[in-house]
Amino acid sequence: MSKDKTLGETLQERGVSRRSFLKFCATTASMMALPPAMIPVIAATLEKLRRPSVIWLSFQECTGCTESLTRSHSATIEDLIFDTISLDYHHTLQAASGSAAEHAREEAMQENYGNYILVVDGSIPGENNGYSTIAGISNKAMLLEVAAGAAAIVAVGSCAAFGGIPKADPNPTGAVSVSDLIKDKPIVNIPGCPPIPAVITGVLVQFLTFGLPELDQLGRPAAFYGNSIHDRCYRRPFYDKGLFADSFDDEGAKKGWCLFKLGCKGPTTYNACATTKWNDGTSFPIEAGHPCLGCSEPDFWDAGSFYKALSTPTEDIGKTAVYAGAAGLIAGAALGASLRARKQSAVKNHERVTIDDLDQES
Ligand code: FSX
């Protein structure tokens, strides 16, 4: 596709129907919590879009983020959006290798200096630069060089956003996040290990149509990370009734009760898994019977304690939930109202509810 063609022209050429395109815009608007009136605005802006140059740098990562993006099953329109972005450099997806690949990066930087979008996945060795190099250039040097000419940076995955698994103790590379090194550019964090593909695409669409999205205190787009998994979890009614699975194969687990006691990090994890889900909206970990691991939060892995409940004693949480669900019980209602108020305030201010908050509330 020529860089001069707009997305509208390209879609027409490829025989993508107007209906499919508007459906994509409607889904994206809904994920961004925008009113239906904004659907035509998104469509009109995207249609006129000429391919912005995107340089994608991969550092210390497992390629899960790119795998996530490319494993979207039938998201052909999303693929087109990505075709429409001029992805000028991406280790895993580009055909060029060696010096030709590096030449493509340098050329894209020169031609679009000040205007290209830099996407980064993976953390960066902050101390020993020799741990990870590309074409003989340390990750840190390459990031600083490419970031200097970027209009904005999108940090994809928990590694780029917060350091992720490479930063886990003992952190042999001294891994740091993009925002630890770059202080003078707008940075949008899309954490998750890996992030939800529709969220990566949604954030890029939001950025291309309306500019930088509203971010929370951790640099995450509020539209996708404004609610905790717990807030939107379909097992939430069981939590409110104090009905918990105590093991992976007990009666509670079979009945689909709340996984809180099995270590679910849903109450302290902010992401869109419970609404957007995975594999084209098929399911998400909790729906498959596994507690949320909190992969989109800072210190994912070290802070994991994957199968340890967030709060102890868990019996108290159960009682709290039962009380909160029984509106006639004054003590329970007050406790529930207090927790709800804390959560509403946190969502409004895009703050996180922490484990300590839960302990205090319980
Ligand atoms: Fe990290 Fe992504 Fe986890 Fe893997 O690029 S967020 S280890 S899914 O690959 O960086």
Side-chain angles (χ1 to χ4, degrees), residues 61-65 121-122 157-159 192-194:
E61 42 81 34
C62 74
T63 317
C65 299
D121 66 347
S158 293
C159 298
C193 189

Side-chain angles (χ1 to χ4, degrees), residues 264-329:
C264 185
K265 303 298 179 289
T268 54
T269 301
Y270 288 73
N271 204 341
C273 299
T275 46
T276 303
K277 301 189 180 179
W278 290 78
N279 297 319
D280 284 347
T282 304
S283 184
F284 72 113
I286 291 170
E287 197 168 341
H290 196 280
C292 166
L293 296 179
C295 79
S296 57
E297 291 296 315
D299 298 323
F300 168 57
W301 205 261
D302 279 348
S305 315
F306 290 160
Y307 300 106
K308 185 169 171 251
L310 278 170
S311 186
T312 52
T314 52
E315 289 72 20
D316 286 346
I317 286 288
K319 279 184 216 157
T320 301
V322 171
Y323 290 155
L329 294 176

Side-chain angles (χ1 to χ4, degrees), residues 26-277:
T27 308
T28 305
S30 146
M31 283 198 301
M32 292 191 284
L34 293 172
M38 294 308 288
I39 297 168
V41 179
I42 294 176
T45 310
L46 283 180
E47 273 181 321
K48 283 186 216 140
L49 187 77
R50 288 179 200 280
R51 303 170 77 200
S53 173
V54 172
I55 297 177
W56 185 307
L57 300 178
S58 298
F59 298 134
Q60 297 187 122
E61 42 81 34
C62 74
T63 317
C65 299
T66 294
E67 290 283 353
S68 171
L69 190 60
T70 57
R71 287 297 186 278
S72 65
H73 289 221
S74 59
T76 53
I77 196 79
E78 289 173 4
D79 292 341
L80 274 179
I81 295 289
F82 262 86
D83 285 349
T84 303
I85 291 165
S86 176
L87 193 53
D88 291 327
Y89 184 83
H90 187 305
H91 292 165
T92 315
L93 303 179
Q94 71 194 126
S97 61
S99 55
E102 290 314 300
H103 180 66
R105 177 177 65 80
E106 287 157 9
E107 197 174 65
M109 285 176 60
Q110 276 167 18
E111 283 178 9
N112 306 286
Y113 206 81
N115 298 312
Y116 57 80
I117 298 169
L118 168 59
V119 179
V120 179
D121 66 347
S123 65
I124 305 98
E127 290 167 9
N128 186 341
N129 290 331
Y131 270 118
S132 180
T133 62
I134 300 162
I137 306 168
S138 75
N139 289 172
K140 187 174 174 182
M142 188 175 280
L143 174 64
L144 296 177
E145 182 195 349
V146 182
I153 303 173
V154 181
V156 171
S158 293
C159 298
F162 304 134
I165 291 175
K167 194 183 167 190
D169 189 48
N171 189 1
T173 70
V176 293
S177 69
V178 173
S179 56
D180 284 331
L181 293 173
I182 308 292
K183 304 289 182 192
D184 59 349
K185 296 281 173 180
I187 299 174
V188 180
N189 285 332
I190 310 181
C193 189
I196 302 169
V199 171
I200 302 174
T201 315
V203 171
L204 285 171
V205 168
Q206 190 173 7
F207 179 72
L208 293 169
T209 45
F210 301 115
L212 274 181
E214 182 192 354
L215 304 176
D216 70 5
Q217 62 181 9
L218 293 174
R220 304 175 295 193
F224 300 102
Y225 295 89
N227 291 293
S228 70
I229 305 289
H230 183 67
D231 287 333
R232 299 297 176 92
C233 182
Y234 76 104
R235 296 191 190 222
R236 177 63 184 271
F238 296 114
Y239 174 91
D240 290 340
K241 288 178 184 165
L243 297 173
F244 301 98
D246 287 305
S247 72
F248 283 104
D249 58 358
D250 70 0
E251 273 309 298
K254 285 173 191 161
K255 287 177 177 167
W257 289 355
C258 176
L259 301 171
F260 186 91
K261 287 187 178 180
L262 295 176
C264 185
K265 303 298 179 289
T268 54
T269 301
Y270 288 73
N271 204 341
C273 299
T275 46
T276 303
K277 301 189 180 179

Side-chain angles (χ1 to χ4, degrees), residues 342-357:
R342 169 75 187 99
K343 284 189 172 166
Q344 276 163 3
S345 149
V347 168
K348 192 172 159 209
N349 298 315
H350 309 303
E351 295 166 354
R352 292 185 306 139
V353 175
T354 65
I355 296 170
D356 289 344
D357 293 328

